[in-house]
Amino acid sequence: MPASRQIASDLGVSRNTVTGALSQLIAEGFLVARPGSGTFVAAGFERHQPEAVNWQQQPQLPGLSHYGTALAAKAMPEVHVQLPFTLGIPDLRAFPLSVWNRVQRQQQDRLHLLGYDGYQGYAPLREALADYLRVSRQVQCHADQIVITQGAQQAISLCAQVLLDPGDPVLVENPGYVGARRALQAHAAALTPVDVDHRGLQPAQLPAASAAKIMYITPTHHYPLGGIMSAPDRLELLDWAARTGTWLIEDDYDSEFHFHGHPIAALQGMAAQTPVLYLGSFSKTLFPALRLGYLVLPEPLVGSFLHAKRHMDGESPLLQQATVAQFVQEGHFQRHLRRMRVRYREKWEHLSALIASELDGLATPVAESAGMHLVLRIPGVNDDALVRDLTDAGFGGTALSSYYVGQDRPTGLALGFANTDERQRIAGVCRLRELILSHRKS
Ligand SMILES: Cc1ncc(COP(=O)(O)O)c(C=O)c1O
């Protein structure tokens, strides 16, 4: 190499800069310094110029595994925007943010929460959750059976990963939650759809002699139609599951928001030791960005799920778990749920009244129950195109047909109302009326 003074003068930079760069190149092995002779390019360095790989050309990329291919083949559209009527978004403006921040500030000074804690989840959160689930959802459980997950979606994926081999038969609701279907399909499960209507799953639809290993189900508030299985039907389902050796994955995603009487008790706790893997989420009851959900498992299964959780993502975020634990222990969680129940009921009643007056003869609500969204049957339209136009107009919503598998897919819309205000509901329904009329003509 030329002398450092020479390089500095050639490049018009300071000598310090050049000696710094040369030291770095020596430290990384590109150059060698020979005391008394100078600095030289390291031997063999020229031979190791790597060839550029073309990232745009498929054969040059590493091939996908069966799992990667299965995910790519049935990719779920990503929801980028939170428009009024986008599904699954709670009323974030009504969230008690100052209380939450105070609780989080108290927790964030605890050094213990900066380290590792345990794959099963923060013990005080599991204790608080077990109390809540026993009292409010009638789930029969204690804290040792609970695994805290990163959202309900991870809970579903863990069930698929731990319990399923390729080709294992699995029953799913039709229509049903696409996120669950995709997670099961990614593990090459052989899915058989079971038809569900506005009353929830009817036991008569269940195959008498099922070889299914598991069935994914939303019994206390069907997703998306909103039907609630009657108590006798739920008992019959449990009986069928025990008889056929089918384990039920009960997704209790939003049953807190019931507008007629008390929320319906979870299937898991209707009898002792039911064949149920129960899961839920704080995404609807608190907020989705928390990414906290939970599984309630029979104790002998907990260890296997923890091995999988460890390799999937390790622990769920500790500060968030501790904040939720204190939020529940101090009663803020229950208070928030009570307020939201009233608020969502008002929104649902307002939207239902608007639909009755503005969309009469054009759209029909599917079920009486509500939660955070409602479903409209809209015959004679291409509901994917309707959703595209609705999005262009600044409103969210999901095509009803997208929840179905098979040929006979009813058309319509699922509308999330929790994240809407009065003005948006009025404007949205008026726009929807115009769009349905124009789509029916075309
Ligand atoms: C029925 C159902 N289950 C599970 C989930 C996943 O929730 P999470 O945000 O906790 O992953 C959703 C999300 O919308 C859902 O609608």
Side-chain angles (χ1 to χ4, degrees):
M1 297 290 295
S4 56
R5 199 185 304 279
Q6 180 68 49
I7 300 176
S9 129
D10 287 352
L11 298 178
V13 295
S14 85
R15 191 155 164 237
N16 277 349
T17 307
V18 175
T19 52
L22 291 174
S23 306
Q24 183 64 30
L25 289 168
I26 291 168
E28 292 187 20
F30 291 105
L31 301 180
V32 282
R34 296 208 190 102
S37 340
T39 304
F40 299 86
V41 175
F45 167 63
E46 305 83 350
R47 291 202 307 273
H48 293 294
Q49 282 292 348
E51 236 180 72
V53 171
N54 186 344
W55 287 7
Q56 311 309 326
Q57 260 180 32
Q58 206 41 258
Q60 296 209 21
L61 292 170
L64 291 182
S65 65
H66 291 302
Y67 180 70
T69 311
L71 288 177
K74 303 235 177 216
M76 283 180 76
E78 205 171 332
V79 180
H80 294 288
V81 281
Q82 295 180 18
L83 299 171
F85 297 125
T86 297
L87 261 76
I89 312 290
D91 186 345
L92 299 176
R93 276 165 295 197
F95 186 73
L97 204 52
S98 55
V99 178
W100 175 266
N101 286 341
R102 178 176 57 71
V103 172
Q104 180 156 297
R105 270 196 302 277
Q106 286 169 10
Q107 292 291 340
Q108 75 193 8
D109 289 335
R110 299 177 55 212
L111 283 183
H112 166 73
L113 299 182
L114 298 181
Y116 291 115
D117 181 69
Y119 302 110
Q120 190 161 357
Y122 187 57
L125 175 59
R126 287 187 288 112
E127 296 285 352
L129 196 53
D131 288 345
Y132 166 74
L133 292 175
R134 273 195 303 266
V135 173
S136 297
R137 305 295 306 120
Q138 283 82 51
V139 173
Q140 295 192 21
C141 69
H142 48 86
D144 291 347
Q145 289 172 262
I146 295 180
V147 177
I148 304 295
T149 58
Q150 296 221 18
Q153 189 62 45
Q154 185 183 54
I156 300 168
S157 293
L158 277 171
C159 291
Q161 201 172 41
V162 174
L163 302 176
L164 295 179
D165 283 319
D168 274 347
V170 171
L171 300 177
V172 289
E173 296 168 320
N174 186 34
Y177 179 50
V178 181
R181 247 175 10 227
R182 294 291 180 264
L184 296 163
Q185 279 167 328
H187 288 275
L191 301 193
T192 303
V194 178
D195 288 344
V196 177
D197 63 21
H198 63 283
R199 299 163 297 175
L201 178 91
Q202 296 300 293
Q205 297 289 338
L206 293 166
S210 165
K213 192 164 184 185
I214 56 182
M215 175 170 196
Y216 168 84
I217 181 159
T218 49
T220 49
H221 190 219
H222 174 256
Y223 189 88
L225 296 185
I228 297 169
M229 284 181 79
S230 70
D233 283 352
R234 279 179 287 140
L235 287 172
E236 201 175 329
L237 171 63
L238 283 176
D239 190 45
W240 170 88
R243 227 175 5 175
T244 56
T246 310
W247 275 78
L248 303 171
I249 298 179
E250 176 178 15
D251 184 349
D252 199 20
Y253 65 104
D254 81 345
S255 299
E256 280 84 1
F257 303 121
H258 244 268
F259 306 142
H260 303 295
H262 286 294
I264 305 293
L267 188 66
Q268 191 268 8
M270 290 189 81
Q273 304 213 353
T274 49
V276 176
L277 311 174
Y278 175 90
L279 62 92
S281 171
F282 287 109
S283 289
K284 322 275 188 216
T285 48
L286 291 175
F287 53 94
L290 254 186
R291 302 317 304 138
L292 287 180
Y294 39 90
L295 268 167
V296 179
L297 300 165
E299 255 169 280
L301 274 184
V302 171
S304 305
F305 275 72
L306 294 187
H307 295 313
K309 166 95 174 125
R310 177 178 189 167
H311 291 295
M312 197 185 262
D313 71 328
E315 304 182 9
S316 299
L318 196 49
L319 173 60
Q320 307 284 56
Q321 293 187 66
T323 305
V324 177
Q326 187 180 335
F327 199 78
V328 177
Q329 283 156 357
E330 291 182 352
H332 307 302
F333 182 63
Q334 292 279 28
R335 226 179 340 271
H336 177 57
L337 287 182
R338 280 197 296 275
R339 281 185 55 229
M340 289 303 99
R341 225 169 268 141
V342 174
R343 212 175 161 88
Y344 290 165
R345 185 189 177 118
E346 285 167 5
K347 288 173 187 244
W348 170 64
E349 284 173 347
H350 180 233
L351 181 61
S352 300
L354 280 171
I355 288 167
S357 65
E358 300 300 317
L359 304 182
D360 188 27
L362 298 176
T364 321
V366 169
E368 269 294 294
S369 73
M372 287 169 52
H373 68 265
L374 61 73
V375 173
L376 298 175
R377 289 281 305 262
I378 309 174
V381 294
N382 174 338
D383 55 5
D384 287 322
L386 185 64
V387 165
R388 276 197 296 277
D389 285 352
L390 207 54
T391 306
D392 288 345
F395 299 100
T398 306
L400 177 58
S401 61
S402 69
Y403 297 106
Y404 283 84
V405 291
Q407 294 303 318
D408 184 21
R409 297 166 180 231
T411 52
L413 273 181
L415 297 174
F417 54 78
N419 68 335
T420 60
D421 61 27
E422 187 176 338
R423 192 181 47 79
Q424 290 167 332
R425 287 191 293 276
I426 294 171
V429 170
C430 288
R431 189 75 188 108
L432 183 56
R433 179 186 169 80
E434 292 163 9
L435 287 174
I436 296 174
L437 287 170
S438 79
H439 276 258
R440 272 180 149 192
K441 274 191 228 132
S442 58

